[in-house]
Amino acid sequence: MQLYLNQHLKIYNSLSGEKETFTPIVPGHVGMYVCGPTVYSNVHLGNCRTFISFDLVYRYLKHLGFKVRYVRNITDVGHIEDDADEGEDKIAKKARLEKLEPMEIVQQYSVDFHQILELFNNMPPSIEPTATGHIIEQIETIKEIIANGFAYESNGSVYFDVVKFNETHNYGKLSGRNLDDMMANSRELAGQNEKRNPADFALWKRAEAEHIMRWPSPWGDGFPGWHLECTSMSTKYLGNHFDIHGGGMDLKFPHHECEIAQNEAATGHTPVNYWMHANMLTLNGKKMAKSTGNNILPRELFTGNNNVLSKAFSPSVARFFILQAHYRSILDFSDDAIVASEKGYNKLMESFETLSEIQPAASSSIDIEKWKQECYDAMNDDFNSPILIAQLFEAVKYINLLKEGKETLNAADLDVLTKALNAFVFDVLGLKNEKGAEGGGEKLEGVVNMLIEMRKEARANKNFALSDEIRNRLTTLGIELKDTKEGTTFSVK
Ligand code: AMP
Ligand code: ZN
């Protein structure tokens, strides 16, 4: 693989609020952790946007030649409704409503999640750990935090002591919140429940008798708090100090703020160099969400089966629509917008066919290396995919001018253009040429119809050996001919 590690990549770090030059801890290697889904219902297009945003990051880092260990978890326990400490576990609740085992819910929606992301051509992470598979590690992290004096046991539950932590550390450094404001705005009063302070959060919750998802611990039967799994699993697989941590913008507080606090309380130092947050996909100006019903499911998009859609859209068109916005900008979904994206996508894909027809000239009239560097500059500027796509449309313009003979490229430059366009469109943006597949379908239809004609002619000439051979050879290729009164049709298996 060609290495582009010399490219100067900048990443917007949510922790500093600035774009910073990316310097990995171990040269040539990147450790990246991204919060995965809570598998209690089908992923909506908003969730997919976040996972596609980080797939772009993963793909570009790999393209640059980094060896990336990408860890993305599955939350299958501990995520309470409204992201709270009190209430029902989202998975346990769904299991109760559907009269299924919690692990049946987990399996059903983990499978759905993987299928959908594969349709979007997302690359699977290097490691995909589950929260229930790491209860022992989470108990160990709690023990460390208690030993360091930043957590306390209360009535079989364990809470993180935010006030104590904030005396020596900065609780709020990621989200920009201030602990005094958080406490002033809290509706709970100190001492009214098991917590010393309303801002404290659960590391371990005691399981009531009827609670199914439970594990033994030094504090009695219970289950881990939601924030804890990401601290335990990220450090297990990436070490106490790693390069990139990502997630949706809505996870900044409390989830990521609590993760940082847990890590610092357990190990004494901050875990992550670059915090990345992907912005939200909205529908009618409001965040797409499972809980409000204001969302579109990917399968509805692929079938056109939703009132807001005028037709079906392919996964690559949806991916292209998402990547036409920068990952840190809010993106509003609308039928008009995705129809426009489809036109752009088709234009881009058609240019590959035009490009294949262009003959090299003796000399070049376009500075193609400059264009290629501009593509890198876009991606190096905090993964700016909309600017990259604008550059790709510059290439489409060049291709049309080359076709018309108004510009020229020599063989070496034509090769640079072809390779770079392929790399950015397919490897970095992760698009698939579904237009090509359609075109392939048309070609197949033409060829089979030609064979049907030849078979008809053979039969008319009583050359049954040939007509049978045509049918049998097509059958072995999985193409079935069917003779009807109207003529011969075919189906592909
Ligand atoms: P959840 O399964 O609710 O934990 O969410 C999985 C991921 O999807 C998280 O990183 C969320 O931040 C992200 N997410 C949720 N809603 C949206 C949205 N409307 N747009 C983009 N990302 C979202
Ligand atoms: Zn997380």
Side-chain angles (χ1 to χ4, degrees):
M1 178 193 210
Q2 209 170 347
L3 296 181
Y4 297 101
L5 292 169
N6 57 341
Q7 294 286 340
H8 297 291
L9 174 63
K10 286 198 164 190
I11 298 183
Y12 180 89
N13 189 349
S14 306
L15 202 55
S16 64
E18 281 171 18
K19 280 183 202 165
E20 297 173 10
T21 299
F22 178 63
T23 314
I25 296 167
V26 180
H29 292 254
V30 180
M32 174 163 93
Y33 186 90
V34 172
C35 294
T38 307
V39 280
Y40 72 103
S41 68
N42 299 105
V43 277
H44 57 70
L45 205 57
N47 303 128
C48 295
R49 181 187 182 198
T50 287
F51 297 120
I52 290 171
S53 296
F54 287 103
D55 187 53
L56 176 76
V57 171
Y58 182 39
R59 283 170 173 276
Y60 189 56
L61 291 169
K62 280 170 81 84
H63 173 76
L64 292 181
F66 288 109
K67 279 203 179 342
V68 189
R69 182 179 291 165
Y70 174 21
V71 183
R72 188 185 64 210
N73 69 306
I74 294 269
T75 296
D76 57 357
V77 70
H79 199 169
I80 308 291
E81 286 183 287
D82 302 322
D83 298 349
D85 279 343
E86 300 293 334
E88 206 171 358
D89 181 294
K90 293 187 188 200
I91 287 159
K93 180 178 177 186
K94 185 77 168 197
R96 176 172 62 76
L97 295 174
E98 306 252 318
K99 298 197 169 50
L100 291 171
E101 279 293 316
M103 280 301 137
E104 285 182 283
I105 296 294
V106 166
Q107 177 70 5
Q108 180 180 336
Y109 293 111
S110 299
V111 168
D112 172 74
F113 172 65
H114 290 136
Q115 284 175 347
I116 295 292
L117 288 198
E118 197 177 332
L119 285 170
F120 278 121
N121 204 24
N122 266 26
M123 296 176 78
S126 331
I127 304 175
E128 193 168 45
T130 61
T132 55
H134 295 76
I135 300 290
I136 292 170
E137 287 82 349
Q138 295 180 76
I139 290 173
E140 287 307 308
T141 307
I142 299 174
K143 283 188 195 161
E144 283 166 19
I145 298 174
I146 293 178
N148 291 341
F150 294 114
Y152 56 90
E153 193 248 314
S154 173
N155 197 21
S157 294
V158 180
Y159 293 98
F160 189 94
D161 193 337
V162 171
V163 175
K164 174 87 186 295
F165 176 78
N166 199 50
E167 285 168 8
T168 45
H169 297 72
N170 180 2
Y171 184 75
K173 69 173 167 192
L174 178 69
S175 56
R177 297 188 190 212
N178 170 297
L179 185 56
D180 292 334
D181 296 344
M182 283 184 238
M183 294 202 297
N185 292 335
S186 171
R187 270 172 285 137
E188 293 173 51
L189 291 173
Q192 272 197 346
N193 60 18
E194 292 168 348
K195 295 180 191 178
R196 286 185 191 159
N197 197 288
D200 294 353
F201 58 90
L203 297 174
W204 186 262
K205 286 292 286 181
R206 183 190 67 251
E208 302 301 336
E210 69 280 7
H211 198 97
I212 318 172
M213 302 179 85
R214 59 196 302 137
W215 290 264
S217 82
W219 316 284
D221 272 13
F223 56 93
W226 172 39
H227 316 305
L228 189 61
E229 58 174 283
C230 290
T231 288
S232 298
M233 296 193 288
S234 62
T235 52
K236 171 164 176 142
Y237 296 109
L238 299 172
N240 284 343
H241 190 200
F242 56 97
D243 298 297
I244 300 175
H245 192 313
M249 204 76 103
D250 56 342
L251 296 186
K252 230 187 212 184
F253 189 89
H255 188 55
H256 292 160
E257 195 70 64
C258 294
E259 251 190 87
I260 294 177
Q262 291 167 160
N263 275 292
E264 291 185 354
T267 67
H269 64 78
T270 199
V272 176
N273 279 357
Y274 303 87
W275 279 91
M276 294 183 68
H277 289 98
N279 216 328
M280 298 291 109
L281 184 67
T282 59
L283 180 63
N284 300 316
K286 287 194 207 84
K287 179 187 164 189
M288 271 199 200
K290 290 172 192 170
S291 52
T292 57
N294 184 50
N295 65 57
I296 293 180
L297 299 181
R299 283 187 213 285
E300 294 172 348
L301 195 68
F302 307 152
T303 56
N305 191 12
N306 186 305
N307 288 341
V308 305
L309 302 170
S310 60
K311 61 187 276 297
F313 296 92
S314 74
S316 268
V317 167
R319 189 176 170 106
F320 186 68
F321 163 76
I322 285 169
L323 295 174
Q324 274 187 305
H326 186 239
Y327 79 91
R328 279 192 295 117
S329 309
I330 288 177
L331 173 62
D332 193 47
F333 182 90
S334 73
D335 190 66
D336 286 351
I338 195 164
V339 165
S341 290
E342 188 173 46
K343 287 205 182 101
Y345 167 83
N346 288 343
K347 209 168 126 185
L348 189 59
M349 292 306 153
E350 278 155 20
S351 73
F352 282 95
E353 217 172 304
T354 319
L355 181 61
S356 68
E357 291 160 8
I358 290 166
Q359 297 300 320
S363 63
S364 301
S365 62
I366 305 168
D367 186 348
I368 214 67
E369 287 291 349
K370 181 168 171 274
W371 166 80
K372 184 175 151 186
Q373 187 55 47
E374 278 162 0
C375 292
Y376 279 105
D377 291 348
M379 286 304 286
N380 290 340
D381 185 13
D382 192 30
F383 310 94
N384 203 322
S385 55
I387 304 277
L388 169 65
I389 290 171
Q391 286 301 337
L392 299 178
F393 281 114
E394 278 300 303
V396 173
K397 268 193 224 156
Y398 294 155
I399 290 167
N400 290 332
L401 292 170
L402 289 164
K403 175 90 192 296
E404 292 164 21
K406 292 180 181 156
E407 300 279 5
T408 57
L409 282 182
N410 65 24
D413 284 345
L414 193 58
D415 195 47
V416 170
L417 172 63
T418 308
K419 285 202 176 115
L421 198 62
N422 271 284
F424 280 110
V425 171
F426 302 118
D427 301 346
V428 175
L429 293 180
L431 298 172
K432 280 190 182 171
N433 193 346
E434 279 152 3
K435 273 294 281 160
E438 269 173 34
E442 280 164 27
K443 282 184 190 137
L444 179 70
E445 200 176 334
V447 170
V448 177
N449 281 334
M450 188 173 78
L451 287 167
I452 289 174
E453 279 304 308
M454 288 165 76
R455 177 170 166 261
K456 203 170 142 192
E457 227 175 278
R459 281 163 67 156
N461 295 333
K462 304 220 174 344
N463 187 350
F464 297 114
L466 180 61
S467 71
D468 285 350
E469 191 181 348
I470 292 175
R471 169 193 280 274
N472 294 341
R473 299 261 305 255
L474 284 173
T475 307
T476 31
L477 292 170
I479 297 167
E480 206 80 60
L481 297 188
K482 201 171 161 201
D483 294 314
T484 67
K485 270 184 279 172
E486 289 76 35
T488 305
T489 59
F490 76 92
S491 58
V492 183
K493 275 198 254 160

